[in-house]
C-alpha cells in the first residue's frame, strides 16, 4: 500500500516568554510531519531552533528531499528507514526526528499496537516529568510555581544571583528542584554552587559548563557533591562514549539525536556505561511530547513539559497529572490533531 509524507508549519504561542541563558522565545515555530496510507496516519514534530541551526527553510528542504524515499517505503521497519534517511540528510537531525517518530507512529498504528509496547510493557513504571521555570524576574518565577503546583521543577539559571534565586524559590515550595544552567557557569562556580544547592533539595545539575569544556567537566565530576547531567554535550550517539567519563548521566533529546531509533541505541549504550538516563524536550506540541513519552519507562528522569508551556496546543495525546504520564488509549503514540 502506498504511503505519503506531508508536513505543515505551525506557530505555537507560549503562556509566558521562555528565557534561558542564550535566548528568549515568545512564539515557537514547529513543523508537523504526517505519514499516511489514507487509513492510518502517524505524526512527528521538529521545532525551529537557532542554536541548532534548525530553520523553517532547512527543515522544508530536508523533508522535500526525503519525501520520495518515504513515499516508497511502506513495508520497511522503522530502523531500516532511518538508515536510508540518515544517509540522505546526515546533518539535519531535527528533520530526521520528525520523520522517524511519524513513521514509528504509523508503523505501530498499522500493526494495532502502542508504540511503547515495542520495547516495554504497558504497565512499566515511568518517571514523573519536571516542569520548567524559565529565567525571569524573581517575582515571575515565583508566580509560575504558584500557578503550576508540581512535584519536580527544572529551574533555568545563568544569572549573576543564581543562588539567591533558588533560595527565594525554595521559600514557596518544597518540591524537588533540578538546576539547568545551560552552559552559563564555570567549573569552580559549579562546584561551589553544588555545595549550597545540595542543602536546598536540588537533585542534580544539568549542563553547567560549555559543551567543549571537557577539562572543566572532568574537574566538576570529581568534586561536585551533586550529579551532573549532560545536555548540550550529548547530542548524538557518538557523544555517549565521550560523556561517560565526565558526567554522571545524559539527557537525550529526540530532535538532537534524530528520533526514537537512535535514542534507543543511546539508551542501551548509556546503560552499559553505568550512566543515569534522562530524556528531555524542546518547547513543542503534544505531537512531539507523545513521541518522547513512548521511551519514558527506559529512563531515570523525564523532562517532557514542552506542551505544558503553551497557551494553545495543536493536538491531543499524552497528558500529565501532577507529573504523572497518562497515555492516550490508542495505537501508536495516540496523537490526534485538533480540527481546524
Amino acid at each position: 500500500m502506498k504511503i505519503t509524507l506531508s508536513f505543515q508549519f505551525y506557530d505555537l504561542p507560549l503562556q509566558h516568554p521562555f528565557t534561558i541563558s542564550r535566548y528568549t522565545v515568545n512564539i515557537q515555530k514547529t513543523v508537523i510531519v504526517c505519514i499516511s496510507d489514507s487509513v492510518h496516519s502517524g505524526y512527528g514534530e521538529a521545532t525551529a531552533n537557532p542554536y541548532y541551526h534548525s530553520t523553517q527553510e532547512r527543515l522544508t528542504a530536508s523533508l522535500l528531499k526525503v519525501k520520495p524515499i518515504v513515499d516508497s517505503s511502506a513495508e520497511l521497519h522503522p530502523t531500516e528507514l532511518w538508515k536510508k534517511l540518515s544517509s540522505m540528510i546526515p546533518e539535519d537531525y531535527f528533520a530526521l526526528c520528525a520523520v522517524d517518530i511519524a513513521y514509528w507512529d504509523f508503523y505501530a498504528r498499522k500493526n494495532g499496537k502502542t508504540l511503547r509496547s515495542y520495547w516495554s510493557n504497558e504497565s512499566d513504571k515511568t518517571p514523573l516529568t519536571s516542569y520548567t521555570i524559565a529565567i525571569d524576574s524573581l517575582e515571575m518565577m515565583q508566580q509560575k510555581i504558584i500557578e503550576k503546583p508540581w512535584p519536580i521543577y527544572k529551574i533555568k539559571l545563568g544569572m549573576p544571583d543564581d543562588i539567591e534565586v533558588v533560595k527565594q524559590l525554595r521559600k514557596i515550595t518544597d518540591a524537588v528542584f533540578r538546576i539547568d544552567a545551560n552552559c552559563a557557569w564555570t567549573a569552580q562556580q559549579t562546584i561551589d554552587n553544588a555545595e549550597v544547592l545540595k542543602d536546598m533539595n536540588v537533585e542534580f545539575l544539568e549542563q553547567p559548563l560549555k559543551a567543549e569544556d571537557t577539562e572543566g567537566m572532568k574537574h566538576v565530576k570529581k568534586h561536585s557533591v551533586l550529579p551532573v547531567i549532560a545536555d548540550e554535550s550529548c547530542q548524538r550517539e557518538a557523544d555517549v562514549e565521550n560523556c561517560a567519563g565526565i558526567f554522571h548521566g545524559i539527557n537525550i533529546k529526540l530532535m538532537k539525536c534524530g528520533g526514537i531509533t537512535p535514542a534507543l541505541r543511546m539508551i542501551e549504550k548509556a546503560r552499559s556505561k553505568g550512566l543515569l538516563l534522562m530524556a528531555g524536550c524542546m518547547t513543542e506540541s503534544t505531537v512531539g511530547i507523545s513521541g518522547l513519552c513512548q521511551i519514558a519507562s527506559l529512563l531515570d528522569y523525564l523532562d517532557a513539559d514542552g506542551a505544558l508551556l503553551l497557551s494553545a496546543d495543536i493536538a491531543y495525546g499524552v497528558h500529565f497529572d501532577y507529573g504523572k504520564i497518562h497515555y492516550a488509549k490508542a495505537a501508536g503514540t495516540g496523537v490526534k490533531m485538533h480540527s481546524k
Side-chain angles (χ1 to χ4, degrees), residues 1 11 53 251:
M1 184 176 290
D11 288 334
H53 311 293
N251 181 8

Side-chain angles (χ1 to χ4, degrees), residues 27-326:
I27 295 176
Q28 177 63 62
K29 188 168 287 293
T30 197
V31 65
I32 302 300
V33 170
C34 175
I35 296 176
S36 179
D37 63 4
S38 76
V39 177
H40 306 98
S41 297
Y43 299 94
E45 180 172 9
T47 62
N49 189 303
Y51 184 78
Y52 296 102
H53 311 293
S54 177
T55 64
Q56 182 172 348
E57 293 73 22
R58 187 183 190 192
L59 288 165
T60 298
S62 294
L63 293 171
L64 290 174
K65 187 173 183 179
V66 301
K67 176 176 167 56
I69 300 299
V70 176
D71 289 357
S72 60
S73 299
E75 302 306 317
L76 279 185
H77 188 274
T79 57
E80 292 302 313
L81 179 61
W82 193 91
K83 288 179 186 176
K84 293 177 70 170
L85 300 186
S86 63
S87 65
M88 294 187 67
I89 49 171
E91 297 304 319
D92 195 343
Y93 289 87
F94 279 55
L96 270 174
C97 171
V99 178
D100 182 67
I101 296 176
Y103 191 75
W104 265 114
D105 186 21
F106 165 76
Y107 184 84
R109 292 182 196 233
K110 185 175 69 170
N111 288 286
K113 299 177 64 174
T114 64
L115 182 47
R116 63 192 183 280
S117 69
Y118 282 92
W119 42 79
S120 61
N121 294 320
E122 302 279 341
S123 59
D124 285 351
K125 186 177 179 181
T126 58
L128 299 177
T129 184
S130 55
Y131 181 82
T132 301
I133 306 298
I135 292 173
D136 210 322
S137 67
L138 177 58
E139 293 74 21
M140 277 304 300
M141 294 176 81
Q142 290 175 321
Q143 184 59 36
K144 290 173 187 176
I145 289 175
I146 292 168
E147 287 177 5
K148 194 76 171 180
W150 212 251
I152 307 166
Y153 293 102
K154 177 192 275 195
I155 311 297
K156 294 283 190 178
L157 295 179
M159 302 170 281
D161 55 346
D162 281 339
I163 297 300
E164 184 60 28
V165 167
V166 179
K167 286 180 179 177
Q168 294 304 315
L169 296 181
R170 179 47 76 207
K171 290 180 180 180
I172 62 170
T173 179
D174 59 1
V176 172
F177 283 175
R178 297 168 180 172
I179 301 299
D180 185 359
N182 282 114
C183 311
W185 291 351
T186 66
Q188 194 57 52
Q189 266 184 300
T190 303
I191 293 165
D192 294 343
N193 288 347
E195 291 278 356
V196 181
L197 294 170
K198 185 178 181 182
D199 293 330
M200 288 192 278
N201 197 21
V202 169
E203 190 172 23
F204 60 72
L205 307 177
E206 186 178 343
Q207 195 68 45
L209 310 189
K210 288 181 171 57
E212 63 271 15
D213 192 359
T214 301
E215 290 305 311
M217 273 313 309
K218 287 179 182 178
H219 187 62
V220 167
K221 185 170 187 275
K222 184 176 180 181
H223 296 285
S224 174
V225 296
L226 286 173
V228 186
I229 308 294
D231 184 2
E232 285 85 349
S233 292
C234 192
Q235 298 181 37
R236 319 273 187 262
E237 291 177 69
D239 296 331
V240 177
E241 185 77 33
N242 300 332
C243 288
I246 57 176
F247 289 92
H248 300 93
I250 61 169
N251 181 8
I252 297 171
K253 291 188 175 174
L254 300 185
M255 289 185 207
K256 293 182 186 179
C257 71
I260 287 174
T261 297
L264 293 171
R265 296 195 294 261
M266 291 175 74
I267 288 168
E268 184 177 4
K269 181 71 169 179
R271 287 297 186 204
S272 74
K273 297 291 183 181
L275 288 165
L276 294 168
L277 272 167
M278 175 180 174
C281 63
M282 303 300 191
T283 306
E284 57 196 90
S285 78
T286 288
V287 175
I289 297 302
S290 295
L292 168 63
C293 286
Q294 302 304 309
I295 64 170
S297 65
L298 308 177
L299 308 170
D300 301 302
Y301 312 115
L302 182 65
D303 177 33
D305 67 338
L308 298 175
L309 304 175
L310 304 178
S311 62
D313 206 341
I314 56 175
Y316 305 100
V318 302
H319 66 278
F320 300 95
D321 177 17
Y322 200 61
K324 180 177 173 56
I325 302 170
H326 288 270

